Amino acid sequence: MKDYIIHHEWKIIEEGFHPDLNRISESIFSIGNGKMGQRANFEEKYSGDSLRGSYIAGIYYPDKTRVGWWKNGYPEYFAKIINSANWIGINIIVNGEELDLAKANVISFRRELDMKQGILQRSFVAELKNGNRIEVFAERFVSIHDSEIGAIKYSVKALNFSGNLTIVSYIDGDVFNEDSNYDEKFWNERSKHIQGTEGCLEMETLKTGFRVCTGMTFTFYKNGELISFEPENFQKEKYIESKVQIPVENGDTVVIEKLTSTVTSLNHPDDELSVKAHEAIKRALLRGYNGMLEKHRNLWSNKWDSSDIIIEGDKAAQQGIRYCIFQLEQTYSGEDERLNIGPKGFTGEKYGGVTYWDTEAYCLPFYLSSAPVEVSKNLLLYRHKHLMKAINNAEKLGFKNGAALYPMVTINGEECHNEWEITFEEIHRNGAIAYAIYNYVNYTGDKEYLAPFGFEVLLAVSRYWSQRTNWSDAKNKYVILGVTGPNEYENNVNNNFHTNYLAVWTLKFTLEVIDFLKKEFPYLFEELVSKWKFSEIKETTRWKDIIANMYFPYDSNKGIFLQQDGFLDKEIIPASELSESEQPINQNWSWDRILRSAFIKQADTLQSMFWFENEFSEKELKKHFDFYEPITVHESSLSPCIHSVIAAKIGYHQKSYELYLRTSRLDLDDYNNDTEDGLHITSMGGTWMAVVMGFGGLRVKNNALEFNPFLPAKWKSYSFKINFRGRHLEIKIEAEKLTLSNHSNLPVDLKIWGKDLLLETNSTKTIQK
């Protein structure tokens, strides 16, 4: 665990230069706008340890799989959202010596991410080897008003010298990925030009043929006055630059404002990219840096109006939740159903920036409550668009009759993950996608989504569960063999409780949807029966038999469901007995030792009890939490949040708070010693759940909102905002008091601490507990 980020309600602050922590900071201070983003690399040259990364949503490379030996069904590639052209480059040369913070004497240094406005700032004073001292202030943002624009304001002040200041603005497309399986670069140059103050570089990915054109232009100010200049232009393969030499006196300040555009063949015809890049630059120039910044700030203000969570009395907790919301907002905008959410977003190379089940399980609730309904709907449509590929994926593994297995990892609907114990066995992802359909319909009331989109996915997933389940004569029950549950510290187990439970629940839900369609959309249902060759009686008869006779491992002595068959054969040792030197165990133990231990990576059995808490008594929830949480090492970013919500539900308020603090500050404090690889974006949705569903007790039951809130002991109050079926609500919790405001023209039915309440339009009510 690190502790160098200064606690602040609205800002992420690093004070002092920490080269040994630079990769962590590059992740933490990352910025994005839903269409592109980048790590917090320095604009100027830096020869120290760094992971350069600029990423564009939907632009990927199918890096050929590297495995020891092949297995039938293995995907041929691992898709990666790849490092793209470096557009932030601004090199500084002072009297012939190039600025490099790895070599200069850094006298002071401060890096700051303003979450309220979406701006990254950095300032430092450095002394070069020639004795010249400069003071630098750098500010940049990627616009959420115009998602093709990035902007930089870079200021250099001469502190103790006169002479020549040379500034080089460039775009570098000769980039690479550290995680390249075969050390190859993924881009070819298509074209480039540089003339005067404007240039662009067009690149194309190998194999996939995506094209990206990156443009730039710039202006200079000296002591606040716009100056004219004659740039010296230069180009080479995959690279363009403009160099400007400016004479300075001691005390002079020179500012470069660099505006860039990034346009792609995802959104424009191939042969128009350079024109579109030029048009985008012109749009930015028309408003100027300050005008673009104002639009950007205003839109961030709008985002916070609908999604902010305010905590009084705990800076660390406040900073943590706002940081999670900020990263979620700048990772996914919901405007394009072709795009989804990668576990690392735009902040690093690990996991390839592609889609996992994390989206459905951890991110959807945030967007349901904080964004227009279309945003969440697009997340579901992403999976529906890929339904045929999910069916093809199942066919490769031997399934038939339209059964679908959604990929564990994907960018375009094809499976691109190649660890057999996950690719073939972590099949609970199918259930997570089915649950997301239920969650969306339950929250929004949009039952028409089921006709046909939701039903088509549910039918294909149910067919998979029907075929994946087999009868056991020994148990006289249906079983599901050879799986890996959410706890990836167990592989190739039989009858994982969460997997079996999800299979049964999905079949039940699909039967309910069939009844709904037959009643409300009878003609459409008949068309769907014909389209998908659905033999209703035959198929649903088997489903009902599985529902009635599924096996769930259970220990009657302890009164708990077991994570899988034979779980109690393990030596049950609390995680609290692990020494610090052994943690995290995934970085200190052999895989063999991990597999034989009882230590759990993340919620598994408890994942089902989180989703389906109404099907278990509070006594059962407590009993299972008391058994499983103490042996959970929380080495998945997805773990503390789920345990925090359950702890809140069963009245373990202090434990809930402790786990919330861990999930909210997971990256800020580098709990799992892996923030340098990129942020844990999808777990940040879980952090939101820990506050709103955990502390706030939000649930949607019978088309109404329920709240059962409590106030963590350290807090004076907290408040959050949610959208629900056309209503915008604000909820504030203080000691023994709850204040609800309805900022809409529609009344809303609520249940507060078990009591019914009608909150009228544009009204506020305060309730004493």
Side-chain angles (χ1 to χ4, degrees), residues 475 477-479 494-498 500-501 550-569 605 609 615-617 619-625 627-628:
K475 288 183 169 60
K477 291 281 186 179
Y478 285 99
V479 295
N494 294 332
N495 297 306
N496 171 257
F497 175 82
H498 179 62
N500 289 20
Y501 205 92
M550 178 63 81
Y551 168 73
F552 297 102
Y554 185 79
D555 183 81
S556 56
N557 292 329
K558 294 182 179 294
I560 60 169
F561 290 102
L562 300 181
Q563 184 175 281
Q564 74 263 343
D565 282 347
F567 187 80
L568 290 182
D569 290 339
T605 303
M609 295 186 175
E615 299 175 20
F616 301 92
S617 68
K619 181 180 179 181
E620 287 177 304
L621 293 175
K622 281 185 178 180
K623 186 173 288 190
H624 285 82
F625 187 91
F627 178 76
Y628 284 110

Side-chain angles (χ1 to χ4, degrees), residues 272-312:
E272 295 181 14
L273 284 186
S274 61
V275 173
K276 294 299 181 182
H278 174 75
E279 290 175 355
I281 286 291
K282 292 302 181 187
R283 290 198 307 270
L285 272 175
L286 193 62
R287 288 198 171 93
Y289 181 89
N290 290 333
M292 291 295 300
L293 182 56
E294 182 181 7
K295 291 283 187 181
H296 177 74
R297 285 169 168 162
N298 289 341
L299 281 180
W300 265 113
S301 179
N302 292 342
K303 284 183 179 289
W304 287 115
D305 281 345
S306 64
S307 64
D308 191 22
I309 291 177
I310 301 171
I311 296 171
E312 292 186 293

Side-chain angles (χ1 to χ4, degrees), residues 361-479:
Y362 295 87
C363 298
L364 183 64
F366 169 78
Y367 295 106
L368 280 172
S369 292
S370 305
V373 67
E374 293 77 18
V375 173
S376 300
K377 190 172 184 177
N378 278 341
L379 285 174
L380 269 64
L381 287 173
Y382 176 89
R383 294 295 192 179
H384 183 267
K385 285 171 66 74
H386 293 160
L387 176 57
M388 290 310 302
K389 289 186 178 179
I391 291 173
N392 292 338
N393 182 50
E395 287 176 347
K396 292 176 183 177
L397 303 180
F399 295 88
K400 302 175 182 178
N401 190 35
L405 175 60
Y406 275 91
M408 184 66 189
V409 174
T410 192
I411 185 68
N412 65 359
E414 295 178 321
E415 177 66 75
C416 60
H417 192 278
N418 55 41
E419 296 176 19
W420 69 269
E421 66 274 18
I422 293 174
T423 307
F424 303 151
E425 297 196 336
E426 202 162 326
I427 56 176
H428 62 85
R429 67 214 192 221
N430 252 15
I433 291 165
Y435 182 79
I437 296 171
Y438 162 79
N439 205 4
Y440 169 82
V441 172
N442 185 54
Y443 193 92
T444 66
D446 179 16
K447 289 190 174 182
E448 290 192 4
Y449 179 78
L450 299 169
F453 303 121
F455 169 73
E456 291 186 319
V457 172
L458 289 168
L459 174 62
V461 169
S462 292
R463 283 172 160 174
Y464 173 83
W465 286 128
S466 180
Q467 295 176 44
R468 187 63 168 80
T469 303
N470 66 273
W471 179 260
S472 166
D473 285 335
K475 288 183 169 60
N476 201 32
K477 291 281 186 179
Y478 285 99
V479 295

